[in-house]
Coordinates of all heavy atoms in Angstrom, one line a residue:
M1 N -239.0 47.6 -61.4 CA -239.2 46.3 -60.8 C -240.6 45.8 -61.3 O -241.6 46.5 -61.4 CB -239.2 46.5 -59.3 CG -239.3 45.2 -58.6 SD -238.8 45.4 -56.9 CE -240.3 44.8 -56.1
T2 N -240.6 44.5 -61.7 CA -241.8 43.9 -62.2 C -242.6 43.3 -61.0 O -242.0 42.7 -60.1 CB -241.4 42.7 -63.1 OG1 -240.6 43.2 -64.2 CG2 -242.7 42.1 -63.7
T3 N -243.9 43.6 -61.0 CA -244.8 43.1 -60.0 C -245.3 41.8 -60.4 O -245.8 41.6 -61.5 CB -245.9 44.1 -59.7 OG1 -245.4 45.4 -59.4 CG2 -246.8 43.6 -58.6
L4 N -245.3 40.8 -59.5 CA -245.9 39.5 -59.7 C -247.4 39.6 -59.5 O -247.8 40.1 -58.4 CB -245.2 38.4 -58.9 CG -243.8 38.1 -59.1 CD1 -243.3 37.1 -58.1 CD2 -243.6 37.6 -60.5
L5 N -248.1 39.1 -60.4 CA -249.6 39.0 -60.3 C -250.0 37.8 -59.4 O -249.3 36.8 -59.5 CB -250.3 38.9 -61.6 CG -250.0 40.1 -62.6 CD1 -250.6 39.8 -63.9 CD2 -250.6 41.4 -62.0
P6 N -251.1 37.9 -58.7 CA -251.5 36.7 -58.0 C -251.9 35.6 -59.0 O -252.3 35.8 -60.1 CB -252.8 37.1 -57.2 CG -253.1 38.5 -57.8 CD -251.9 39.0 -58.5
L7 N -251.7 34.3 -58.6 CA -251.9 33.2 -59.4 C -253.3 32.7 -59.4 O -253.9 32.6 -58.3 CB -250.9 32.1 -59.0 CG -250.9 30.8 -59.7 CD1 -250.5 31.0 -61.2 CD2 -250.0 29.8 -59.1
A8 N -253.8 32.3 -60.5 CA -255.1 31.6 -60.6 C -254.9 30.4 -61.5 O -254.0 30.4 -62.4 CB -256.1 32.6 -61.3
Y9 N -255.7 29.4 -61.3 CA -255.7 28.2 -62.2 C -257.0 28.1 -62.9 O -258.0 28.7 -62.5 CB -255.5 27.0 -61.4 CG -254.1 26.8 -60.9 CD1 -253.7 27.1 -59.6 CD2 -253.1 26.4 -61.8 CE1 -252.4 27.0 -59.2 CE2 -251.8 26.3 -61.4 CZ -251.4 26.6 -60.1 OH -250.1 26.4 -59.7
G10 N -257.0 27.4 -64.0 CA -258.3 27.2 -64.8 C -258.7 25.7 -64.7 O -257.9 24.8 -64.4
Y11 N -260.0 25.6 -64.9 CA -260.6 24.2 -64.9 C -261.7 24.2 -66.0 O -262.6 25.0 -66.1 CB -261.3 23.9 -63.6 CG -261.9 22.6 -63.5 CD1 -261.1 21.4 -63.3 CD2 -263.3 22.4 -63.6 CE1 -261.7 20.2 -63.2 CE2 -263.9 21.2 -63.6 CZ -263.1 20.0 -63.3 OH -263.7 18.8 -63.3
L12 N -261.5 23.2 -66.9 CA -262.4 23.0 -68.0 C -262.8 21.5 -68.2 O -261.9 20.6 -68.0 CB -261.8 23.5 -69.3 CG -261.5 25.0 -69.4 CD1 -260.7 25.3 -70.7 CD2 -262.8 25.8 -69.4
R13 N -264.0 21.2 -68.5 CA -264.4 19.9 -68.9 C -264.4 19.7 -70.4 O -265.1 20.4 -71.1 CB -265.9 19.6 -68.4 CG -265.9 19.4 -66.9 CD -267.3 19.0 -66.4 NE -268.1 18.3 -67.3 CZ -269.4 18.3 -67.2 NH1 -270.1 19.0 -66.3 NH2 -270.1 17.6 -68.1
D14 N -263.6 18.8 -70.8 CA -263.4 18.6 -72.3 C -264.7 18.2 -73.0 O -264.9 18.5 -74.2 CB -262.3 17.5 -72.5 CG -260.9 18.1 -72.2 OD1 -260.8 19.3 -72.1 OD2 -260.0 17.2 -72.0
D15 N -265.6 17.5 -72.3 CA -266.9 17.1 -72.9 C -267.8 18.3 -73.2 O -268.7 18.1 -74.0 CB -267.6 16.0 -72.1 CG -268.0 16.5 -70.7 OD1 -267.2 17.2 -70.1 OD2 -269.2 16.2 -70.4
L16 N -267.5 19.4 -72.7 CA -268.4 20.6 -72.9 C -267.7 21.6 -73.9 O -268.3 22.6 -74.2 CB -268.7 21.3 -71.6 CG -269.4 20.5 -70.6 CD1 -269.6 21.3 -69.3 CD2 -270.8 20.0 -71.1
L17 N -266.5 21.3 -74.4 CA -265.8 22.2 -75.2 C -265.9 21.9 -76.7 O -265.8 20.8 -77.1 CB -264.3 22.2 -74.9 CG -263.9 22.5 -73.4 CD1 -262.4 22.4 -73.3 CD2 -264.3 24.0 -73.1
R18 N -266.1 23.0 -77.4 CA -266.1 22.9 -78.9 C -264.6 23.1 -79.4 O -264.2 22.5 -80.3 CB -267.0 23.9 -79.6 CG -268.4 23.6 -79.3 CD -269.3 24.6 -80.1 NE -270.6 24.6 -79.5 CZ -271.5 25.5 -79.6 NH1 -271.3 26.5 -80.4 NH2 -272.7 25.4 -79.1
D19 N -264.0 24.1 -78.8 CA -262.7 24.5 -79.1 C -261.8 24.8 -77.9 O -261.9 25.9 -77.3 CB -262.7 25.8 -80.0 CG -261.3 26.3 -80.5 OD1 -260.3 25.6 -80.1 OD2 -261.3 27.3 -81.2
P20 N -261.0 23.8 -77.5 CA -260.3 23.9 -76.2 C -259.3 25.1 -76.2 O -259.2 25.8 -75.2 CB -259.5 22.6 -76.1 CG -260.3 21.6 -77.0 CD -260.9 22.4 -78.1
N21 N -258.7 25.4 -77.3 CA -257.8 26.6 -77.4 C -258.5 27.9 -77.1 O -258.1 28.8 -76.4 CB -257.0 26.6 -78.7 CG -256.0 25.5 -78.8 OD1 -255.5 25.0 -77.8 ND2 -255.8 25.1 -80.0
S22 N -259.7 28.0 -77.8 CA -260.5 29.2 -77.6 C -260.9 29.4 -76.1 O -260.9 30.5 -75.6 CB -261.7 29.2 -78.5 OG -262.6 30.3 -78.3
S23 N -261.3 28.3 -75.5 CA -261.8 28.3 -74.1 C -260.6 28.7 -73.2 O -260.8 29.5 -72.2 CB -262.4 26.9 -73.7 OG -263.5 26.7 -74.5
E24 N -259.4 28.1 -73.4 CA -258.3 28.5 -72.6 C -258.0 30.0 -72.8 O -257.6 30.7 -71.8 CB -257.1 27.6 -72.9 CG -257.1 26.3 -72.3 CD -255.8 25.6 -72.3 OE1 -254.7 26.3 -72.3 OE2 -255.8 24.4 -72.2
N25 N -258.0 30.4 -74.0 CA -257.8 31.9 -74.3 C -258.8 32.8 -73.6 O -258.4 33.8 -73.1 CB -257.8 32.2 -75.8 CG -256.6 31.6 -76.5 OD1 -255.5 31.4 -75.9 ND2 -256.7 31.4 -77.8
R26 N -260.0 32.3 -73.5 CA -261.1 33.1 -72.8 C -260.7 33.2 -71.3 O -260.8 34.3 -70.7 CB -262.4 32.4 -72.9 CG -263.5 33.0 -72.1 CD -263.9 34.4 -72.7 NE -265.1 34.9 -71.9 CZ -265.1 36.1 -71.4 NH1 -264.1 36.9 -71.7 NH2 -266.1 36.5 -70.7
L27 N -260.2 32.1 -70.7 CA -259.8 32.1 -69.3 C -258.6 33.0 -69.1 O -258.5 33.8 -68.1 CB -259.5 30.7 -68.8 CG -260.7 29.7 -68.7 CD1 -260.2 28.4 -68.1 CD2 -261.9 30.3 -67.9
R28 N -257.7 33.0 -70.0 CA -256.5 33.9 -69.9 C -256.9 35.3 -70.0 O -256.4 36.2 -69.3 CB -255.5 33.5 -71.0 CG -254.8 32.2 -70.8 CD -253.6 32.0 -71.7 NE -253.2 30.6 -71.7 CZ -252.7 30.0 -70.6 NH1 -252.5 30.6 -69.5 NH2 -252.4 28.7 -70.7
T29 N -257.8 35.6 -70.9 CA -258.3 37.0 -71.1 C -258.9 37.5 -69.8 O -258.7 38.6 -69.3 CB -259.2 37.1 -72.3 OG1 -258.5 36.8 -73.4 CG2 -259.8 38.5 -72.4
V30 N -259.8 36.7 -69.2 CA -260.5 37.0 -68.0 C -259.5 37.2 -66.9 O -259.6 38.1 -66.1 CB -261.6 36.0 -67.7 CG1 -262.2 36.2 -66.3 CG2 -262.7 36.1 -68.7
A31 N -258.6 36.2 -66.8 CA -257.6 36.3 -65.7 C -256.8 37.6 -65.8 O -256.6 38.3 -64.8 CB -256.6 35.1 -65.8
C32 N -256.4 38.0 -66.9 CA -255.6 39.2 -67.1 C -256.5 40.4 -66.7 O -256.0 41.3 -66.0 CB -255.2 39.3 -68.6 SG -254.2 40.8 -68.9
S33 N -257.7 40.4 -67.2 CA -258.6 41.6 -66.8 C -258.9 41.7 -65.3 O -259.2 42.8 -64.8 CB -259.9 41.5 -67.6 OG -260.8 40.5 -67.1
L34 N -258.8 40.6 -64.6 CA -259.0 40.6 -63.2 C -257.7 40.8 -62.4 O -257.7 40.8 -61.1 CB -259.7 39.3 -62.7 CG -261.1 39.1 -63.3 CD1 -261.6 37.7 -62.9 CD2 -262.1 40.1 -62.7
G35 N -256.6 40.9 -63.1 CA -255.3 41.1 -62.4 C -254.6 39.8 -61.9 O -253.9 39.9 -61.0
Y36 N -254.9 38.7 -62.6 CA -254.3 37.4 -62.2 C -253.4 36.9 -63.3 O -253.6 37.2 -64.5 CB -255.3 36.3 -62.0 CG -256.2 36.5 -60.8 CD1 -257.5 37.0 -61.0 CD2 -255.8 36.2 -59.6 CE1 -258.3 37.2 -59.9 CE2 -256.6 36.4 -58.4 CZ -257.8 36.9 -58.6 OH -258.6 37.1 -57.5
A37 N -252.4 36.1 -63.0 CA -251.6 35.4 -63.9 C -252.2 34.0 -63.9 O -252.4 33.4 -62.9 CB -250.1 35.3 -63.4
L38 N -252.6 33.5 -65.1 CA -253.2 32.2 -65.2 C -252.2 31.1 -65.3 O -251.4 31.2 -66.3 CB -254.2 32.1 -66.4 CG -255.0 30.8 -66.5 CD1 -256.0 30.7 -65.3 CD2 -255.8 30.8 -67.8
G39 N -252.1 30.2 -64.4 CA -251.2 29.1 -64.4 C -251.8 28.0 -65.3 O -252.4 28.3 -66.4
A40 N -251.6 26.8 -65.0 CA -252.1 25.7 -65.7 C -253.7 25.7 -65.8 O -254.3 26.2 -64.9 CB -251.7 24.4 -65.1
V41 N -254.2 25.2 -66.9 CA -255.6 24.9 -67.0 C -255.8 23.4 -66.9 O -255.2 22.7 -67.8 CB -256.2 25.5 -68.3 CG1 -257.6 25.1 -68.5 CG2 -256.0 27.0 -68.4
F42 N -256.6 23.0 -66.0 CA -256.8 21.5 -65.8 C -258.0 21.1 -66.6 O -259.1 21.7 -66.5 CB -257.1 21.3 -64.3 CG -255.8 21.4 -63.4 CD1 -255.4 22.7 -63.0 CD2 -255.1 20.3 -63.1 CE1 -254.3 22.9 -62.3 CE2 -253.9 20.5 -62.3 CZ -253.5 21.8 -61.9
H43 N -257.8 20.1 -67.5 CA -258.8 19.6 -68.4 C -259.3 18.3 -67.8 O -258.6 17.3 -67.6 CB -258.2 19.4 -69.8 CG -258.0 20.6 -70.5 ND1 -259.0 21.1 -71.4 CD2 -257.0 21.6 -70.5 CE1 -258.6 22.3 -71.9 NE2 -257.4 22.5 -71.4
E44 N -260.6 18.2 -67.6 CA -261.3 17.0 -67.1 C -261.9 16.3 -68.3 O -262.6 16.8 -69.1 CB -262.5 17.4 -66.2 CG -263.0 16.3 -65.4 CD -262.0 15.9 -64.3 OE1 -261.7 16.7 -63.4 OE2 -261.5 14.8 -64.5
P45 N -261.5 15.0 -68.4 CA -262.1 14.2 -69.5 C -263.6 13.9 -69.1 O -264.1 14.5 -68.2 CB -261.3 12.8 -69.4 CG -260.7 12.8 -68.1 CD -260.6 14.2 -67.6
S46 N -264.3 13.1 -69.9 CA -265.7 12.9 -69.6 C -265.9 12.6 -68.1 O -265.1 12.0 -67.5 CB -266.2 11.7 -70.4 OG -266.1 11.9 -71.8
P47 N -267.1 13.1 -67.6 CA -267.3 13.0 -66.1 C -267.2 11.5 -65.7 O -267.6 10.6 -66.4 CB -268.7 13.5 -66.0 CG -268.9 14.4 -67.1 CD -268.1 13.8 -68.3
Q48 N -266.7 11.3 -64.5 CA -266.5 10.0 -63.9 C -267.8 9.7 -63.1 O -268.7 10.5 -62.9 CB -265.4 10.1 -62.9 CG -264.1 10.6 -63.5 CD -263.5 9.8 -64.6 OE1 -263.5 8.6 -64.5 NE2 -263.2 10.4 -65.7
N49 N -267.9 8.4 -62.7 CA -269.1 8.0 -62.0 C -268.8 7.8 -60.5 O -268.0 7.0 -60.1 CB -269.6 6.6 -62.6 CG -270.1 6.7 -64.0 OD1 -270.6 7.8 -64.3 ND2 -269.9 5.7 -64.8
G50 N -269.5 8.6 -59.7 CA -269.4 8.4 -58.3 C -268.2 8.8 -57.5 O -268.1 8.6 -56.3
T51 N -267.2 9.3 -58.2 CA -265.9 9.7 -57.5 C -265.6 11.1 -57.9 O -266.2 11.7 -58.8 CB -264.7 8.8 -58.0 OG1 -264.5 9.0 -59.4 CG2 -265.0 7.4 -57.7
L52 N -264.7 11.7 -57.1 CA -264.3 13.1 -57.5 C -263.5 13.0 -58.8 O -262.7 12.1 -59.0 CB -263.3 13.6 -56.4 CG -264.0 14.1 -55.1 CD1 -262.9 14.5 -54.1 CD2 -264.9 15.2 -55.4
P53 N -263.8 13.9 -59.7 CA -263.1 13.9 -61.0 C -261.6 14.0 -60.8 O -261.1 14.9 -60.0 CB -263.7 15.1 -61.7 CG -265.0 15.4 -61.0 CD -264.8 14.9 -59.6
P54 N -260.8 13.2 -61.5 CA -259.3 13.2 -61.3 C -258.6 14.6 -61.5 O -257.8 14.9 -60.8 CB -258.8 12.1 -62.3 CG -260.0 11.6 -63.0 CD -261.2 12.2 -62.5
A55 N -259.0 15.3 -62.6 CA -258.3 16.6 -62.8 C -258.7 17.6 -61.8 O -257.9 18.4 -61.4 CB -258.7 17.1 -64.2
F56 N -260.0 17.4 -61.2 CA -260.4 18.3 -60.1 C -259.5 18.1 -58.9 O -259.1 19.0 -58.2 CB -261.9 18.1 -59.8 CG -262.4 18.9 -58.7 CD1 -262.8 20.2 -58.9 CD2 -262.5 18.3 -57.4 CE1 -263.3 20.9 -57.8 CE2 -262.9 19.1 -56.4 CZ -263.3 20.4 -56.6
V57 N -259.3 16.8 -58.6 CA -258.4 16.5 -57.4 C -257.0 17.1 -57.6 O -256.5 17.7 -56.7 CB -258.4 14.9 -57.2 CG1 -257.3 14.6 -56.2 CG2 -259.7 14.4 -56.9
N58 N -256.5 16.9 -58.8 CA -255.2 17.5 -59.1 C -255.2 19.0 -59.0 O -254.2 19.6 -58.5 CB -254.7 17.1 -60.5 CG -254.4 15.7 -60.7 OD1 -254.2 15.0 -59.7 ND2 -254.5 15.2 -61.9
L59 N -256.3 19.7 -59.4 CA -256.5 21.1 -59.3 C -256.4 21.5 -57.8 O -255.7 22.5 -57.4 CB -257.8 21.5 -59.9 CG -258.2 23.0 -59.6 CD1 -257.3 24.0 -60.3 CD2 -259.7 23.2 -60.1
V60 N -257.2 20.8 -57.0 CA -257.2 21.2 -55.5 C -255.8 21.0 -54.9 O -255.3 21.9 -54.2 CB -258.2 20.3 -54.8 CG1 -258.1 20.4 -53.3 CG2 -259.6 20.5 -55.2
Q61 N -255.1 19.9 -55.3 CA -253.7 19.7 -54.8 C -252.8 20.8 -55.2 O -252.0 21.3 -54.4 CB -253.2 18.4 -55.2 CG -253.9 17.2 -54.5 CD -253.6 15.9 -55.1 OE1 -253.0 15.7 -56.2 NE2 -253.9 14.8 -54.3
E62 N -252.9 21.2 -56.5 CA -252.0 22.3 -57.0 C -252.3 23.6 -56.4 O -251.4 24.4 -56.1 CB -252.1 22.3 -58.5 CG -251.2 23.4 -59.2 CD -249.7 23.2 -58.9 OE1 -249.3 22.1 -58.5 OE2 -249.0 24.2 -59.0
C63 N -253.6 23.9 -56.2 CA -253.9 25.2 -55.5 C -253.3 25.2 -54.1 O -252.8 26.3 -53.7 CB -255.4 25.4 -55.5 SG -256.2 25.8 -57.1
R64 N -253.4 24.1 -53.4 CA -252.8 24.1 -52.1 C -251.3 24.2 -52.1 O -250.7 25.0 -51.3 CB -253.2 22.7 -51.4 CG -254.6 22.7 -51.0 CD -254.9 21.3 -50.4 NE -254.0 20.9 -49.3 CZ -254.3 20.9 -48.1 NH1 -255.6 21.1 -47.7 NH2 -253.5 20.5 -47.1
R65 N -250.7 23.5 -53.0 CA -249.2 23.6 -53.1 C -248.7 25.0 -53.5 O -247.8 25.5 -52.9 CB -248.7 22.6 -54.2 CG -247.2 22.5 -54.3 CD -246.7 22.0 -55.6 NE -247.0 22.8 -56.8 CZ -246.4 24.0 -57.1 NH1 -245.4 24.4 -56.3 NH2 -246.7 24.7 -58.1
A66 N -249.4 25.7 -54.4 CA -249.0 27.0 -54.9 C -249.6 28.1 -54.1 O -249.3 29.3 -54.4 CB -249.3 27.1 -56.4
E67 N -250.5 27.8 -53.2 CA -251.2 28.8 -52.5 C -252.0 29.8 -53.4 O -252.1 30.9 -53.1 CB -250.3 29.5 -51.5 CG -249.7 28.6 -50.5 CD -248.8 29.4 -49.5 OE1 -248.7 30.6 -49.5 OE2 -248.1 28.7 -48.7
A68 N -252.5 29.2 -54.5 CA -253.4 30.0 -55.3 C -254.7 30.1 -54.7 O -255.2 29.2 -54.0 CB -253.5 29.3 -56.7
R69 N -255.4 31.2 -54.8 CA -256.7 31.4 -54.2 C -257.8 31.6 -55.1 O -259.0 31.9 -54.7 CB -256.6 32.7 -53.2 CG -255.6 32.5 -52.1 CD -256.0 31.4 -51.2 NE -255.0 31.1 -50.1 CZ -254.4 30.0 -50.0 NH1 -254.7 29.0 -50.8 NH2 -253.5 29.8 -49.0
T70 N -257.6 31.5 -56.4 CA -258.7 31.7 -57.4 C -258.6 30.6 -58.5 O -257.5 30.3 -59.0 CB -258.5 33.1 -58.1 OG1 -258.6 34.1 -57.0 CG2 -259.7 33.3 -59.0
V71 N -259.8 30.1 -58.8 CA -260.0 29.2 -59.9 C -261.0 29.8 -60.9 O -262.0 30.3 -60.5 CB -260.5 27.8 -59.5 CG1 -260.9 27.0 -60.7 CG2 -259.4 27.1 -58.7
L72 N -260.6 29.8 -62.2 CA -261.5 30.4 -63.2 C -262.0 29.2 -64.0 O -261.2 28.3 -64.4 CB -260.7 31.3 -64.1 CG -260.2 32.6 -63.5 CD1 -259.3 33.3 -64.5 CD2 -261.2 33.4 -62.9
T73 N -263.3 29.2 -64.3 CA -263.9 28.1 -65.1 C -265.0 28.7 -65.9 O -265.5 29.8 -65.6 CB -264.4 27.0 -64.3 OG1 -264.7 25.9 -65.1 CG2 -265.5 27.3 -63.4
L74 N -265.4 28.1 -67.0 CA -266.5 28.5 -67.8 C -267.8 28.1 -67.1 O -267.9 27.1 -66.4 CB -266.5 28.0 -69.2 CG -265.3 28.4 -70.0 CD1 -265.4 27.7 -71.4 CD2 -265.2 29.9 -70.2
H75 N -268.8 28.9 -67.2 CA -270.1 28.7 -66.6 C -270.6 27.2 -67.0 O -270.6 26.8 -68.1 CB -271.1 29.7 -67.1 CG -272.5 29.5 -66.4 ND1 -272.7 29.8 -65.1 CD2 -273.6 29.0 -66.9 CE1 -273.9 29.6 -64.8 NE2 -274.5 29.1 -65.9
G76 N -271.0 26.5 -66.0 CA -271.5 25.1 -66.2 C -270.5 24.0 -66.1 O -270.8 22.8 -66.1
H77 N -269.2 24.3 -66.0 CA -268.2 23.3 -66.0 C -268.0 22.6 -64.7 O -267.3 21.6 -64.6 CB -266.8 23.9 -66.5 CG -266.8 24.0 -68.0 ND1 -265.9 23.3 -68.8 CD2 -267.6 24.7 -68.9 CE1 -266.1 23.6 -70.1 NE2 -267.2 24.5 -70.1
L78 N -268.6 23.1 -63.7 CA -268.6 22.4 -62.4 C -270.0 21.7 -62.1 O -270.2 21.2 -61.0 CB -268.3 23.3 -61.2 CG -266.9 23.8 -61.2 CD1 -266.7 24.9 -60.1 CD2 -265.9 22.7 -60.9
S79 N -270.8 21.6 -63.1 CA -272.1 21.1 -63.0 C -272.3 19.8 -63.8 O -271.5 19.6 -64.7 CB -273.2 22.1 -63.4 OG -273.1 23.2 -62.7
G80 N -273.3 19.0 -63.5 CA -273.6 17.9 -64.3 C -272.7 16.7 -64.2 O -272.6 15.8 -65.1
M81 N -272.0 16.6 -63.1 CA -271.1 15.4 -62.8 C -271.7 14.6 -61.7 O -272.7 15.0 -61.1 CB -269.7 15.9 -62.5 CG -269.0 16.6 -63.6 SD -267.3 17.0 -63.3 CE -267.4 18.6 -62.4
A82 N -271.1 13.4 -61.5 CA -271.6 12.5 -60.4 C -271.6 13.2 -59.0 O -272.5 13.0 -58.2 CB -270.8 11.3 -60.4
V83 N -270.6 14.1 -58.8 CA -270.5 14.8 -57.6 C -271.2 16.2 -57.8 O -270.8 16.9 -58.8 CB -269.1 15.0 -57.1 CG1 -269.0 15.8 -55.9 CG2 -268.4 13.6 -57.0
C84 N -272.0 16.6 -57.0 CA -272.8 17.9 -57.2 C -271.9 19.1 -57.1 O -270.9 19.1 -56.4 CB -274.0 18.0 -56.4 SG -273.8 18.8 -54.8
R85 N -272.2 20.1 -57.8 CA -271.5 21.4 -57.9 C -271.2 22.0 -56.5 O -270.1 22.5 -56.3 CB -272.3 22.4 -58.7 CG -271.7 23.7 -58.9 CD -272.6 24.6 -59.8 NE -272.1 25.9 -59.9 CZ -272.2 26.9 -59.0 NH1 -272.8 26.7 -57.9 NH2 -271.6 28.1 -59.2
M86 N -272.2 22.0 -55.6 CA -272.0 22.5 -54.3 C -270.9 21.8 -53.5 O -270.2 22.4 -52.8 CB -273.3 22.5 -53.5 CG -274.4 23.4 -54.1 SD -273.8 25.1 -54.4 CE -273.6 25.7 -52.7
V87 N -270.8 20.5 -53.7 CA -269.8 19.7 -53.0 C -268.4 20.1 -53.6 O -267.4 20.3 -52.8 CB -270.0 18.2 -53.2 CG1 -268.8 17.4 -52.7 CG2 -271.3 17.8 -52.4
L88 N -268.3 20.2 -54.9 CA -267.0 20.6 -55.5 C -266.6 22.0 -55.1 O -265.4 22.2 -54.7 CB -267.2 20.6 -57.1 CG -267.4 19.2 -57.7 CD1 -267.6 19.4 -59.2 CD2 -266.3 18.3 -57.4
L89 N -267.5 23.0 -55.0 CA -267.2 24.3 -54.5 C -266.8 24.3 -53.0 O -265.8 25.0 -52.7 CB -268.4 25.2 -54.7 CG -268.8 25.6 -56.1 CD1 -270.1 26.4 -56.2 CD2 -267.7 26.4 -56.8
A90 N -267.4 23.4 -52.2 CA -267.1 23.3 -50.8 C -265.7 22.7 -50.7 O -264.9 23.2 -49.8 CB -268.1 22.5 -50.1
I91 N -265.3 21.8 -51.5 CA -264.0 21.1 -51.4 C -263.0 22.2 -51.7 O -261.9 22.3 -51.0 CB -263.9 19.9 -52.3 CG1 -264.7 18.8 -51.8 CG2 -262.4 19.5 -52.5 CD1 -264.9 17.6 -52.7
L92 N -263.2 23.0 -52.8 CA -262.2 24.0 -53.1 C -262.1 25.0 -52.0 O -261.0 25.5 -51.7 CB -262.6 24.7 -54.4 CG -262.3 23.9 -55.7 CD1 -263.0 24.5 -56.9 CD2 -260.8 23.9 -56.0
D93 N -263.2 25.4 -51.4 CA -263.2 26.4 -50.3 C -262.5 25.9 -49.1 O -261.6 26.5 -48.6 CB -264.6 26.8 -50.0 CG -264.7 27.9 -48.9 OD1 -263.8 28.7 -48.8 OD2 -265.6 27.8 -48.1
V94 N -262.9 24.7 -48.6 CA -262.4 24.2 -47.4 C -261.0 23.6 -47.5 O -260.1 23.9 -46.7 CB -263.4 23.1 -46.8 CG1 -262.8 22.4 -45.6 CG2 -264.7 23.7 -46.5
R95 N -260.7 22.8 -48.5 CA -259.4 22.2 -48.7 C -258.3 23.1 -49.2 O -257.2 22.9 -48.9 CB -259.6 20.9 -49.6 CG -260.5 19.9 -49.1 CD -260.0 19.3 -47.9 NE -260.0 17.8 -48.1 CZ -259.3 17.0 -47.3 NH1 -258.6 17.5 -46.3 NH2 -259.4 15.7 -47.5
A96 N -258.7 24.0 -50.1 CA -257.7 24.9 -50.7 C -257.8 26.4 -50.5 O -257.0 27.1 -51.0 CB -257.6 24.5 -52.2
E97 N -258.9 26.7 -49.8 CA -259.2 28.2 -49.6 C -259.3 28.9 -50.9 O -258.7 30.0 -51.0 CB -258.2 28.8 -48.6 CG -258.2 28.1 -47.2 CD -257.2 28.7 -46.3 OE1 -256.7 29.8 -46.5 OE2 -256.8 28.0 -45.3
V98 N -260.0 28.3 -51.8 CA -260.0 28.9 -53.2 C -261.4 29.4 -53.5 O -262.4 28.8 -53.1 CB -259.7 27.8 -54.2 CG1 -260.0 28.2 -55.6 CG2 -258.2 27.4 -54.1
A99 N -261.5 30.6 -54.1 CA -262.7 31.1 -54.6 C -262.8 30.8 -56.1 O -261.8 30.8 -56.8 CB -262.8 32.6 -54.4
V100 N -264.0 30.4 -56.6 CA -264.2 30.1 -58.0 C -265.0 31.2 -58.6 O -265.9 31.8 -58.1 CB -265.1 28.8 -58.1 CG1 -265.4 28.5 -59.5 CG2 -264.3 27.6 -57.5
Q101 N -264.5 31.6 -59.8 CA -265.2 32.6 -60.6 C -265.6 31.9 -61.9 O -264.7 31.4 -62.7 CB -264.3 33.8 -60.9 CG -264.0 34.5 -59.7 CD -263.5 35.9 -60.0 OE1 -263.8 36.5 -61.0 NE2 -262.8 36.5 -59.0
E102 N -266.9 31.8 -62.2 CA -267.4 31.2 -63.4 C -267.6 32.3 -64.4 O -268.3 33.3 -64.0 CB -268.7 30.4 -63.1 CG -268.4 29.2 -62.3 CD -269.7 28.4 -62.1 OE1 -270.5 28.8 -61.2 OE2 -269.9 27.4 -62.8
V103 N -267.1 32.1 -65.6 CA -267.3 33.2 -66.6 C -268.1 32.6 -67.8 O -268.1 31.4 -68.0 CB -265.9 33.7 -67.0 CG1 -265.1 34.3 -65.9 CG2 -265.1 32.6 -67.7
E104 N -268.7 33.5 -68.5 CA -269.4 33.1 -69.7 C -268.4 32.8 -70.8 O -267.3 33.4 -70.9 CB -270.3 34.3 -70.2 CG -271.4 34.6 -69.2 CD -272.4 33.5 -69.0 OE1 -272.7 32.7 -70.0 OE2 -272.8 33.2 -67.9
P105 N -268.7 31.8 -71.6 CA -267.8 31.3 -72.7 C -267.5 32.4 -73.7 O -268.2 33.4 -73.8 CB -268.5 30.2 -73.3 CG -269.6 29.8 -72.4 CD -269.9 30.9 -71.5

C-alpha cells in the first residue's frame, strides 16, 4: 500500500529569481527531504503597493481548501513587500494554520 505524504505548497517571488525552474526544483528537493509532497508553487509577480500580494492570497485560500499545513519558500521571499513579513506570516498562521519554512536557495 502506498502512503500519502502530507501536502506542502511553495511560494516564490519572480522578481527575486534568476532561474524559476531551479528554484522550484530546490523547493521540491527540500519538500521530499522533509517528508512532504509539494503541490503547486505560487509565483508572485513584482511586489504590489499597499495590498496583499495576489498570489499570496491564492496561496492562503488553497492551503485552507486542501488543509495543507506547510508552505516552503526561499529565504527572503516573504520580505521587502508593501506588507511586512510578520503580517504575511501571521495571516498564514491564523487564516490557514500554516507553518512556513524558509530555505536557502
